[in-house]
Amino acid sequence: MHEVIETRGDLTCEVDANEATTEYQAILKYKGYEQGRFSGRTLAAVREQFAMIADYIDVGSIVRGGVILTGYFNGDFKGDVLSVDGEVLGAWHSDDEEWCYLTLTGMTEHELAAPSPWMLHDSIIDLYRDANSA
């Protein structure tokens, strides 16, 4: 059974109510749809991570599939790419023709390109899932 422990706007954070675990598994939802999972050793750590994600959303970021793109809804069309657990995956930007590019952390060449921010986000989600399913 999951229990909602935090809500901000359309974002909610649910955790497993089992207090016997040494780590709390959190489910991040936007408008009731799961958008990612993260964990913390304490409920306070889970709440802190949720607050960080919600702060990003409040200033124009988007979260889908466990991946946050900053600068999405605020008109910048560039920003950081993070996992919901806080890992910096890279940076993205859009050119004058709205083609969007991802450069992974530590790299100088673009890893992905797409004709829109939404499609780039889809590709990043696929890349992130593939990298974490092994």
Side-chain angles (χ1 to χ4, degrees), residues 3 5-6 11 19 30 53 65 67 77 80 94 100-101 106 122-123 131:
E3 176 183 348
I5 63 164
E6 292 290 329
L11 282 176
E19 300 275 336
Y30 180 77
I53 295 167
V67 176
F77 295 115
D80 293 324
S94 177
C100 299
Y101 304 90
D122 285 343
S123 295

Side-chain angles (χ1 to χ4, degrees), residues 68-117:
I68 301 166
L69 265 63
T70 67
Y72 192 94
F73 288 117
N74 64 4
D76 286 348
F77 295 115
K78 66 179 178 182
D80 293 324
V81 179
L82 312 150
S83 67
V84 294
D85 63 6
E87 178 185 3
V88 178
L89 304 175
W92 76 283
H93 74 276
S94 177
D95 65 16
D96 292 338
E97 296 177 9
E98 291 192 19
W99 267 86
C100 299
Y101 304 90
L102 167 72
T103 304
L104 295 173
T105 299
M107 305 301 284
T108 57
E109 299 292 320
H110 302 305
E111 178 71 21
L112 298 172
S116 72

Side-chain angles (χ1 to χ4, degrees), residues 21-26 38-47 49:
T21 66
T22 59
E23 191 170 78
Y24 293 90
Q25 297 295 319
F38 58 95
S39 61
R41 291 187 183 259
T42 64
L43 282 176
V46 169
R47 284 186 166 102
Q49 187 65 21

